[in-house]
Amino acid sequence: MTGGAATPRWAIIGTGAIAEQTIGDIRLAGNIDIVAVASRTAATAEDFAARHGIPRVFASVEDALGSADIDAVYICTPHSSHFELARQALLTGKHVLCEKPLTLTASQSRELADLAAARGLFLMEAMWMKFTPAVLQVQELIRSGAIGEVRSVESSMGYNFPRTETSRLWNAELGGGALLDLGVYPAAFAQLLLGTPLSVAAHGVMQADGVDLRSTLTLGYSDDRFATVTSSLTEVIMAFAVVGGTAGTIVMDPTFFAGGAIHCYSAPDYTAQTTTVPIEGAGYVPMFRAVGEALAAGLTEHPRHPLADTIAVLAVVDEARRLLAAARPTA
Ligand SMILES: NC(=O)c1ccc[n+]([C@@H]2O[C@H](COP(=O)([O-])OP(=O)(O)OC[C@H]3O[C@@H](n4cnc5c(N)ncnc54)[C@H](OP(=O)(O)O)[C@@H]3O)[C@@H](O)[C@H]2O)c1
């Protein structure tokens, strides 16, 4: 695919782990034309470009954001940089796909959403989970009535990440902590199936610097429906999900949002019906393809992952972080 007036020319911003992990899937999607890459360090960007056959390297992130030759950017930098980079990109007229979490707080995402709307530009958080066949399949099972009315959602994700000097996960200034890095997945899954919660309760551990190590949130909804959302930087919890309904249960094996076995236990006999859904590429292909299609259709948000959902999930994270900070022993 070549760049042109009708084909948005994309630049990748950042050359770290997620950029490496997704570049193959971007190619597989077939409708996202990566013409350039930028990083804070030109040498890193040159190396990335050479290894992945990307024609152009910008000397700096600022050069890429200011370039008239770029129509859209995929932001792959640490959380704490997302707001300012996305804001700059929108101000210079670029569509934005930004890695999760879109920003550190709900109010920052609101500001970006307003800016994108005012400029008529596409903006989406790269919440690939919402686009995977596994999650679509669960929604289809629910729509078909397989488990009756959904009453509860339980999902978790944790790793025992090494605490190193350089890890962004343990660095408060880079937006470290379990909730912003991992918790957004189970929280977005609960948001997808139950909507925006009316209440948030949190048990967990937060360091004095604001890095939350682990927590379980209980989210309350109308009509006594509930979700639990667990995330951890200090223990391994394979990412599973359980959806409880009035007539059955769906259990999604790890990694629930990427794909794998889905077990559906329906009334009256609750015998497991197991389906395994395919994973395309590393799992990100459906999201990239959907973004390419949305841009081609002139959309400014993707209906499957609208900004309202990103903002609602970050509002849950805001409140959970506030509760964990308030509960932290001061002695
Ligand atoms: N969707 C997923 O499955 C998934 C998985 C992992 C991570 N992520 C998300 O992707 C983002 C990046 O995570 P990562 O694991 O790829 O991080 P990483 O490996 O540390 O890479 C970060 C990249 O950003 C650049 N960078 C660092 N600070 C920057 C700044 N202030 N401004 C501009 N560029 C900066 C770094 O390169 P230079 O130093 O050369 O500039 C590096 O290329 C995070 O928000 C994370 O949540 C998503």
Side-chain angles (χ1 to χ4, degrees):
M1 188 181 283
T2 56
T7 308
R9 297 158 299 180
W10 284 80
I12 296 186
I13 311 293
T15 56
I18 193 59
E20 288 287 349
Q21 218 167 308
T22 54
I23 184 71
D25 280 14
I26 294 173
R27 294 264 157 68
L28 285 174
N31 59 0
I32 300 269
D33 190 17
I34 301 286
V35 302
V37 60
S39 143
R40 291 177 309 179
T41 325
T44 319
E46 274 159 21
D47 174 62
F48 188 91
R51 284 185 295 104
H52 298 295
I54 296 172
R56 182 164 180 189
V57 174
F58 284 99
S60 70
V61 171
E62 293 70 28
D63 284 359
L65 297 180
S67 171
D69 299 336
I70 298 299
D71 308 304
V73 292
Y74 171 35
I75 297 173
C76 294
T77 57
H79 312 341
S80 52
S81 60
H82 292 177
F83 172 71
E84 198 46 43
L85 294 179
R87 201 175 77 85
Q88 285 305 323
L90 292 168
L91 286 172
T92 55
K94 292 166 181 52
H95 305 291
V96 175
L97 175 67
C98 180
E99 264 308 326
K100 39 62 58 173
L102 178 57
T103 56
L104 297 180
T105 63
S107 69
Q108 288 179 332
S109 282
R110 253 180 237 115
E111 192 176 328
L112 293 182
D114 289 348
L115 183 58
R119 306 249 161 171
L121 292 165
F122 182 84
L123 173 65
M124 194 182 100
E125 176 189 50
M127 183 47 72
W128 59 293
M129 175 197 77
K130 299 271 280 283
F131 298 86
T132 60
V135 169
L136 266 59
Q137 166 79 7
V138 165
Q139 286 191 285
E140 187 48 42
L141 281 168
I142 292 169
R143 258 192 299 273
S144 74
I147 62 165
E149 184 201 339
V150 174
R151 303 291 303 159
S152 67
V153 173
E154 183 186 347
S155 69
S156 302
M157 186 172 183
Y159 297 107
N160 188 358
F161 284 110
R163 192 187 292 236
T164 65
E165 293 258 316
T166 53
S167 171
R168 62 177 176 77
L169 294 167
W170 295 95
N171 185 329
E173 285 178 10
L174 297 180
L179 275 163
L180 283 167
D181 200 72
L182 306 177
V184 290
Y185 287 108
F189 186 64
Q191 176 77 25
L192 180 68
L193 299 189
L194 293 173
T196 301
L198 301 175
S199 63
V200 178
H203 281 284
V205 182
M206 179 180 267
Q207 295 183 159
D209 62 2
V211 172
D212 57 297
L213 303 185
R214 54 201 290 259
S215 66
T216 294
L217 316 183
T218 308
L219 311 181
Y221 304 82
S222 61
D223 197 23
D224 294 335
R225 294 168 300 142
F226 299 101
T228 56
V229 165
T230 296
S231 56
S232 178
L233 294 187
T234 57
E235 77 221 72
V236 182
I237 310 170
M238 300 302 287
F240 71 89
V242 178
V243 185
T246 50
T249 308
I250 295 169
V251 178
M252 298 177 78
D253 282 353
T255 302
F256 76 89
F257 46 81
I262 296 167
H263 313 283
C264 184
Y265 304 82
S266 298
D269 60 354
Y270 301 105
T271 306
Q273 300 288 318
T274 297
T275 49
T276 306
V277 291
I279 300 175
E280 196 176 355
Y284 306 95
V285 178
M287 175 192 72
F288 286 115
R289 194 172 287 138
V291 168
E293 288 166 358
L295 278 184
L299 302 182
T300 54
E301 294 192 41
H302 198 290
R304 196 147 175 85
H305 189 46
L307 290 161
D309 281 7
T310 295
I311 293 165
V313 167
L314 283 171
V316 166
V317 172
D318 283 349
E319 176 61 3
R321 289 177 53 78
R322 189 188 69 75
L323 291 167
L324 294 177
R328 197 167 46 77
T330 47

